[in-house]
Amino acid sequence: MAKRKVLLVDDEVTVLLTMKAVLEISGFDVDTAASAIDAKRKLKLNEYQMVITDMRMESDVAGREVIQAARTAAYHPAVALLTAFPLSDDDWQEAGADKMLVKPMQTTVLLRQIEKLLETHSAKLTRLASAAAGTKKTPAKKAVAKAKKLPAKKVVVKKPVRRKKK
């Protein structure tokens, strides 16, 4: 099985190196970025199953910029916001994240939350893909839809007329 690719974004080198090691030991392929600018560049050049980003880096909105870049990526990665300053549910969801991870966090809890997020995100992508496939009309589906719109033809079966013998 191919390793799941994660982009980890944080301006604190110790956090980057520690989380990178934890994730790699757990079977992930991890790229790192120390700024929103670097993260946005990597999001364009590579495909990731998940992006984990700090909120406050070179600016207070740097994390939001990374989230927005991930949301506009054609491959639709799961997005987790990593922060030492927890936001309300409305704030991090409004920012576009799928999950908020509060640091510091126990390794087992972190890994469990990441696995759960990847599972739910994968299921969401599958549902969206099947819904999109269901709305595309193939020639056969078009014919069926057209037939449903047409009024039903009334078929009249004429019985042969029998004449009585005299």
Side-chain angles (χ1 to χ4, degrees), residues 20-52:
K20 178 179 171 70
V22 166
L23 292 171
E24 286 179 340
I25 288 169
S26 300
F28 291 92
D29 180 10
V30 182
D31 275 352
T32 60
S35 68
I37 293 167
D38 191 24
K40 291 188 287 187
R41 183 180 57 79
K42 288 185 177 189
L43 283 164
K44 287 180 182 176
L45 296 174
N46 302 294
E47 284 193 21
Y48 300 95
Q49 279 74 43
M50 176 179 260
V51 176
I52 302 172

Short mmCIF file of all heavy atoms in Angstrom, two decimals, residues 20-52:
data_model
loop_
_atom_site.label_atom_id
_atom_site.label_comp_id
_atom_site.label_asym_id
_atom_site.label_seq_id
_atom_site.Cartn_x
_atom_site.Cartn_y
_atom_site.Cartn_z
N LYS A 20 6.92 15.51 12.14
CA LYS A 20 7.36 14.79 10.94
C LYS A 20 7.85 13.40 11.34
O LYS A 20 7.47 12.39 10.72
CB LYS A 20 8.46 15.57 10.22
CG LYS A 20 9.02 14.86 8.98
CD LYS A 20 10.08 15.73 8.32
CE LYS A 20 10.84 15.03 7.23
NZ LYS A 20 10.15 14.74 6.02
N ALA A 21 8.67 13.32 12.39
CA ALA A 21 9.18 12.03 12.85
C ALA A 21 8.05 11.10 13.31
O ALA A 21 8.01 9.93 12.95
CB ALA A 21 10.19 12.23 13.98
N VAL A 22 7.11 11.65 14.08
CA VAL A 22 5.98 10.85 14.57
C VAL A 22 5.15 10.31 13.42
O VAL A 22 4.79 9.12 13.38
CB VAL A 22 5.10 11.71 15.52
CG1 VAL A 22 3.76 11.04 15.79
CG2 VAL A 22 5.83 11.97 16.83
N LEU A 23 4.86 11.16 12.46
CA LEU A 23 4.04 10.74 11.31
C LEU A 23 4.77 9.74 10.42
O LEU A 23 4.17 8.77 9.95
CB LEU A 23 3.58 11.96 10.51
CG LEU A 23 2.58 12.88 11.22
CD1 LEU A 23 2.37 14.16 10.42
CD2 LEU A 23 1.27 12.17 11.47
N GLU A 24 6.06 9.95 10.20
CA GLU A 24 6.82 9.02 9.36
C GLU A 24 6.94 7.66 10.02
O GLU A 24 6.83 6.63 9.34
CB GLU A 24 8.20 9.61 9.02
CG GLU A 24 8.10 10.71 7.99
CD GLU A 24 9.43 11.34 7.63
OE1 GLU A 24 10.40 11.22 8.41
OE2 GLU A 24 9.49 11.96 6.57
N ILE A 25 7.16 7.61 11.33
CA ILE A 25 7.21 6.34 12.06
C ILE A 25 5.88 5.61 11.94
O ILE A 25 5.83 4.38 11.89
CB ILE A 25 7.59 6.58 13.55
CG1 ILE A 25 9.06 6.97 13.65
CG2 ILE A 25 7.29 5.35 14.39
CD1 ILE A 25 9.47 7.48 15.02
N SER A 26 4.80 6.39 11.81
CA SER A 26 3.45 5.81 11.71
C SER A 26 3.05 5.50 10.27
O SER A 26 1.89 5.18 10.01
CB SER A 26 2.44 6.77 12.34
OG SER A 26 2.78 6.98 13.70
N GLY A 27 3.98 5.62 9.34
CA GLY A 27 3.70 5.20 7.97
C GLY A 27 3.29 6.27 6.99
O GLY A 27 2.85 5.96 5.88
N PHE A 28 3.43 7.53 7.36
CA PHE A 28 3.07 8.61 6.45
C PHE A 28 4.30 9.11 5.70
O PHE A 28 5.42 9.04 6.20
CB PHE A 28 2.46 9.80 7.22
CG PHE A 28 1.11 9.51 7.80
CD1 PHE A 28 0.98 9.02 9.08
CD2 PHE A 28 -0.04 9.73 7.05
CE1 PHE A 28 -0.26 8.75 9.63
CE2 PHE A 28 -1.29 9.47 7.59
CZ PHE A 28 -1.41 8.97 8.88
N ASP A 29 4.08 9.63 4.50
CA ASP A 29 5.11 10.31 3.73
C ASP A 29 4.88 11.80 3.98
O ASP A 29 3.82 12.32 3.64
CB ASP A 29 4.95 9.97 2.24
CG ASP A 29 5.99 10.64 1.37
OD1 ASP A 29 6.96 11.21 1.90
OD2 ASP A 29 5.82 10.59 0.13
N VAL A 30 5.84 12.48 4.63
CA VAL A 30 5.61 13.84 5.11
C VAL A 30 6.51 14.84 4.41
O VAL A 30 7.73 14.69 4.39
CB VAL A 30 5.83 13.92 6.64
CG1 VAL A 30 5.54 15.33 7.15
CG2 VAL A 30 4.99 12.90 7.37
N ASP A 31 5.89 15.89 3.85
CA ASP A 31 6.60 17.07 3.37
C ASP A 31 6.37 18.15 4.41
O ASP A 31 5.33 18.17 5.07
CB ASP A 31 6.01 17.57 2.05
CG ASP A 31 6.58 16.85 0.83
OD1 ASP A 31 7.53 16.07 0.99
OD2 ASP A 31 6.06 17.09 -0.27
N THR A 32 7.33 19.06 4.55
CA THR A 32 7.17 20.15 5.51
C THR A 32 7.32 21.49 4.82
O THR A 32 7.96 21.60 3.77
CB THR A 32 8.21 20.06 6.65
OG1 THR A 32 9.53 20.13 6.09
CG2 THR A 32 8.04 18.78 7.45
N ALA A 33 6.69 22.49 5.44
CA ALA A 33 6.82 23.88 4.98
C ALA A 33 6.85 24.75 6.23
O ALA A 33 6.09 24.51 7.16
CB ALA A 33 5.64 24.25 4.09
N ALA A 34 7.74 25.75 6.24
CA ALA A 34 7.89 26.60 7.42
C ALA A 34 7.16 27.93 7.26
O ALA A 34 7.26 28.80 8.13
CB ALA A 34 9.37 26.84 7.69
N SER A 35 6.41 28.09 6.16
CA SER A 35 5.66 29.33 5.95
C SER A 35 4.48 29.05 5.03
O SER A 35 4.44 28.04 4.33
CB SER A 35 6.55 30.40 5.30
OG SER A 35 6.87 30.02 3.98
N ALA A 36 3.53 29.98 5.02
CA ALA A 36 2.37 29.85 4.14
C ALA A 36 2.80 29.92 2.68
O ALA A 36 2.27 29.19 1.84
CB ALA A 36 1.36 30.94 4.46
N ILE A 37 3.76 30.76 2.39
CA ILE A 37 4.24 30.90 1.01
C ILE A 37 4.80 29.58 0.50
O ILE A 37 4.48 29.13 -0.59
CB ILE A 37 5.29 32.03 0.91
CG1 ILE A 37 4.64 33.37 1.20
CG2 ILE A 37 5.98 32.04 -0.44
CD1 ILE A 37 5.60 34.51 1.45
N ASP A 38 5.65 28.94 1.32
CA ASP A 38 6.24 27.65 0.95
C ASP A 38 5.15 26.58 0.83
O ASP A 38 5.17 25.78 -0.10
CB ASP A 38 7.28 27.26 2.01
CG ASP A 38 8.13 26.08 1.60
OD1 ASP A 38 8.28 25.82 0.38
OD2 ASP A 38 8.67 25.39 2.49
N ALA A 39 4.19 26.60 1.74
CA ALA A 39 3.10 25.61 1.71
C ALA A 39 2.27 25.75 0.44
O ALA A 39 1.94 24.75 -0.21
CB ALA A 39 2.22 25.76 2.94
N LYS A 40 1.92 26.97 0.07
CA LYS A 40 1.11 27.19 -1.12
C LYS A 40 1.84 26.72 -2.38
O LYS A 40 1.23 26.14 -3.28
CB LYS A 40 0.70 28.66 -1.23
CG LYS A 40 -0.30 29.06 -0.15
CD LYS A 40 -0.86 30.45 -0.34
CE LYS A 40 0.12 31.53 -0.03
NZ LYS A 40 -0.45 32.89 -0.06
N ARG A 41 3.14 26.93 -2.41
CA ARG A 41 3.95 26.46 -3.55
C ARG A 41 3.92 24.94 -3.62
O ARG A 41 3.69 24.35 -4.68
CB ARG A 41 5.39 26.97 -3.42
CG ARG A 41 6.29 26.61 -4.60
CD ARG A 41 7.71 27.14 -4.42
NE ARG A 41 8.34 26.67 -3.20
CZ ARG A 41 8.88 25.46 -3.04
NH1 ARG A 41 8.85 24.60 -4.02
NH2 ARG A 41 9.46 25.12 -1.90
N LYS A 42 4.10 24.28 -2.48
CA LYS A 42 4.10 22.82 -2.45
C LYS A 42 2.73 22.23 -2.79
O LYS A 42 2.63 21.18 -3.41
CB LYS A 42 4.59 22.31 -1.10
CG LYS A 42 6.08 22.55 -0.92
CD LYS A 42 6.62 21.95 0.35
CE LYS A 42 8.14 22.17 0.38
NZ LYS A 42 8.78 21.44 1.47
N LEU A 43 1.67 22.92 -2.37
CA LEU A 43 0.31 22.46 -2.70
C LEU A 43 0.07 22.46 -4.21
O LEU A 43 -0.69 21.63 -4.71
CB LEU A 43 -0.73 23.33 -2.00
CG LEU A 43 -0.93 23.06 -0.52
CD1 LEU A 43 -1.68 24.19 0.16
CD2 LEU A 43 -1.65 21.74 -0.31
N LYS A 44 0.71 23.38 -4.91
CA LYS A 44 0.57 23.43 -6.37
C LYS A 44 1.41 22.38 -7.07
O LYS A 44 1.04 21.88 -8.13
CB LYS A 44 0.96 24.82 -6.89
CG LYS A 44 -0.06 25.88 -6.56
CD LYS A 44 0.39 27.23 -7.10
CE LYS A 44 -0.62 28.31 -6.71
NZ LYS A 44 -0.17 29.64 -7.12
N LEU A 45 2.56 22.04 -6.48
CA LEU A 45 3.50 21.12 -7.13
C LEU A 45 3.25 19.65 -6.83
O LEU A 45 3.68 18.78 -7.58
CB LEU A 45 4.94 21.47 -6.72
CG LEU A 45 5.46 22.84 -7.15
CD1 LEU A 45 6.83 23.10 -6.54
CD2 LEU A 45 5.50 22.94 -8.67
N ASN A 46 2.57 19.36 -5.72
CA ASN A 46 2.38 17.97 -5.28
C ASN A 46 0.92 17.72 -4.95
O ASN A 46 0.13 18.65 -4.85
CB ASN A 46 3.22 17.70 -4.03
CG ASN A 46 4.69 17.95 -4.25
OD1 ASN A 46 5.34 17.27 -5.02
ND2 ASN A 46 5.23 18.97 -3.59
N GLU A 47 0.60 16.44 -4.72
CA GLU A 47 -0.73 16.07 -4.25
C GLU A 47 -0.60 15.46 -2.87
O GLU A 47 0.28 14.63 -2.63
CB GLU A 47 -1.39 15.06 -5.19
CG GLU A 47 -1.89 15.67 -6.45
CD GLU A 47 -2.80 14.74 -7.23
OE1 GLU A 47 -3.36 13.79 -6.66
OE2 GLU A 47 -2.94 14.98 -8.44
N TYR A 48 -1.47 15.87 -1.96
CA TYR A 48 -1.45 15.40 -0.59
C TYR A 48 -2.83 14.87 -0.20
O TYR A 48 -3.84 15.40 -0.64
CB TYR A 48 -1.07 16.54 0.38
CG TYR A 48 0.29 17.14 0.09
CD1 TYR A 48 0.42 18.27 -0.71
CD2 TYR A 48 1.43 16.55 0.60
CE1 TYR A 48 1.65 18.81 -1.00
CE2 TYR A 48 2.69 17.09 0.32
CZ TYR A 48 2.79 18.21 -0.48
OH TYR A 48 4.02 18.74 -0.76
N GLN A 49 -2.83 13.83 0.64
CA GLN A 49 -4.10 13.35 1.18
C GLN A 49 -4.55 14.25 2.33
O GLN A 49 -5.74 14.37 2.59
CB GLN A 49 -3.98 11.90 1.70
CG GLN A 49 -4.07 10.85 0.61
CD GLN A 49 -2.79 10.80 -0.22
OE1 GLN A 49 -1.69 10.86 0.29
NE2 GLN A 49 -2.97 10.71 -1.53
N MET A 50 -3.56 14.89 2.99
CA MET A 50 -3.89 15.72 4.13
C MET A 50 -2.90 16.88 4.25
O MET A 50 -1.72 16.73 3.95
CB MET A 50 -3.85 14.91 5.42
CG MET A 50 -4.08 15.73 6.68
SD MET A 50 -4.05 14.73 8.16
CE MET A 50 -5.79 14.56 8.40
N VAL A 51 -3.43 18.02 4.71
CA VAL A 51 -2.61 19.18 5.03
C VAL A 51 -2.88 19.50 6.50
O VAL A 51 -4.02 19.61 6.93
CB VAL A 51 -3.00 20.40 4.16
CG1 VAL A 51 -2.20 21.63 4.58
CG2 VAL A 51 -2.77 20.09 2.68
N ILE A 52 -1.80 19.61 7.27
CA ILE A 52 -1.89 20.01 8.68
C ILE A 52 -1.13 21.32 8.79
O ILE A 52 0.07 21.36 8.52
CB ILE A 52 -1.28 18.94 9.61
CG1 ILE A 52 -1.96 17.59 9.43
CG2 ILE A 52 -1.36 19.41 11.07
CD1 ILE A 52 -1.29 16.44 10.17
#
